[in-house]
Amino acid sequence: MELEVLTQIKKVEVSPFLFTRIQQRISEVTIIKFSNKTSMSLIFALLVVIVLNIVIMQNYSIPQNKESEFAQSMNIITYNGIYNE
Amino acid sequence: MTLEQIYNQHKNLVYNLALQYVQNIEDAEEITQDVFLAIHNNLGDFQEHSNLATWIYRIAINKALDFIKAKKRKKRFAFITSIFLLGSNEIEHDLPNYNHPGVELENREALSSLFRKINLLPNSQKTALILNKIEQRSVQEIAQTMQLNIKAVESLIQRAKKNLSKRITEAKELDKIIV
């Protein structure tokens, strides 16, 4: 079969300068690394913000009747009826 | 084991495998660089009890497939921009860049045509065929590398061969019509 020609492909040697290029690329890559102390304080700060958000949302919830109070003060009809009986 | 030691042991394995995927020196060198960069970054995650060569093979296959995907995306983007930038010098034509150093002159034409057909196969079939037919790996080794069972690998190789022979027959029929 014609696929047999694939077995005739020879193995070749890699260029001698390739490892230098790899080393160069490794040195170019700057990985931002945080120390354990920094990452712990970042996690703590994030947790504080989340807890604060929850506390504020629970304590300062908008009262249910606020909308109707506003409508009343502005003389706005809050229903869709056309005729007043 | 240092990166240099790993490189010296496996450089040719990675480079030759990359060549079978892209059939071009520049691209194969770029894939080889990507592979050893990934090895450098993930050496800590490598488990000592597993086979280093298999692990490297797996990285090389993934990097080669990623490279081909990225290249196709780049070509598609260049084509679209060329439509909008008519008359500019940025129009790129899809020139065939077949330059496999492991192919001898007498087989060059036959292999160029065969690789064109292999490149159209689905990735898993292509990988199984390359590992089996060119890299001369056993079905067991391929199964380990591709993380599949032996039956699945055998089926992939069979389907790859079937698809290829179908494409070869179609090309021959087309040649007859043209002549």
Side-chain angles (χ1 to χ4, degrees):
Chain A
M1 202 192 164
E2 291 180 40
L3 289 183
E4 290 313 307
V5 75
L6 288 172
T7 56
Q8 289 171 28
I9 296 172
K10 294 218 159 50
K11 296 274 176 252
V12 285
E13 289 277 318
V14 70
S15 152
F17 308 107
L18 202 66
F19 191 64
T20 321
R21 272 187 266 162
I22 293 167
Q23 281 178 315
Q24 201 183 332
R25 272 182 69 179
I26 289 169
S27 63
E28 280 166 9
V29 176
T30 49
I31 303 163
I32 302 163
K33 280 184 180 169
F34 289 113
S35 69
N36 271 351
K37 207 177 167 185
T38 321
S39 45
M40 286 305 283
S41 27
L42 278 172
I43 292 167
F44 179 72
L46 193 72
L47 277 173
V48 167
V49 171
I50 292 167
V51 169
L52 268 175
N53 268 302
I54 293 167
V55 169
I56 290 167
M57 279 173 76
Q58 278 182 343
N59 291 342
Y60 298 95
S61 58
I62 303 158
Q64 289 284 316
N65 57 352
K66 197 111 182 175
E67 221 172 83
S68 54
E69 268 175 34
F70 176 76
Q72 216 172 8
S73 65
M74 298 297 284
N75 277 334
I76 296 169
I77 302 161
T78 56
Y79 58 91
N80 284 330
I82 299 171
Y83 305 106
N84 286 322
E85 287 179 22
Chain B
M1 214 173 184
T2 63
L3 182 72
E4 195 168 358
Q5 286 170 322
I6 296 172
Y7 176 80
N8 287 330
Q9 249 179 52
H10 299 280
K11 60 181 178 188
N12 290 329
L13 177 144
V14 172
Y15 179 61
N16 280 286
L17 184 64
L19 268 174
Q20 319 312 351
Y21 275 92
V22 289
Q23 304 102 44
N24 154 343
I25 297 169
E26 292 78 29
D27 291 349
E29 283 187 351
E30 198 153 337
I31 293 167
T32 309
Q33 287 183 46
D34 291 344
V35 171
F36 284 99
L37 210 67
I39 291 170
H40 173 263
N41 293 337
N42 299 298
L43 204 54
D45 300 333
F46 173 68
Q47 282 135 357
E48 289 292 330
H49 60 266
S50 42
N51 189 339
L52 183 67
T54 309
W55 183 61
I56 293 173
Y57 244 120
R58 214 172 289 150
I59 296 174
I61 291 166
N62 289 334
K63 288 287 169 193
L65 293 174
D66 287 348
F67 183 88
I68 293 166
K69 207 198 281 176
K71 204 173 175 183
K72 273 183 190 166
R73 205 183 304 129
K74 222 182 274 176
K75 273 181 185 168
R76 219 176 297 140
F77 182 71
F79 174 72
I80 293 165
T81 45
S82 73
I83 293 170
F84 292 106
L85 299 167
L86 278 175
S88 80
N89 294 327
E90 286 179 41
I91 299 171
E92 279 182 41
H93 298 286
D94 189 9
L95 291 168
N97 44 9
Y98 178 83
N99 178 20
H100 196 310
V103 173
E104 284 173 338
L105 204 63
E106 62 261 33
N107 295 328
R108 206 174 165 81
E109 208 175 312
L111 275 166
S112 165
S113 155
L114 193 56
F115 269 122
R116 264 202 303 273
K117 291 169 186 87
I118 292 173
N119 291 341
L120 295 171
L121 290 174
N123 285 341
S124 53
Q125 288 180 28
K126 185 178 169 182
T127 299
L129 191 86
I130 286 173
L131 293 178
N132 185 244
K133 282 280 164 195
I134 310 175
E135 294 292 306
Q136 312 278 317
R137 301 276 146 181
S138 69
V139 177
Q140 281 93 332
E141 283 174 307
I142 300 169
Q144 213 182 350
T145 308
M146 293 180 78
Q147 293 176 310
L148 294 170
N149 59 47
I150 291 170
K151 283 246 181 265
V153 174
E154 282 171 347
S155 156
L156 280 175
I157 296 168
Q158 280 310 313
R159 272 186 283 154
K161 282 181 184 173
K162 202 176 159 189
N163 279 339
L164 271 181
S165 59
K166 194 178 154 194
R167 284 180 210 276
I168 290 166
T169 320
E170 279 171 2
K172 276 180 185 169
E173 278 169 13
L174 197 73
D175 283 346
K176 273 183 202 166
I177 294 166
I178 293 166
V179 173

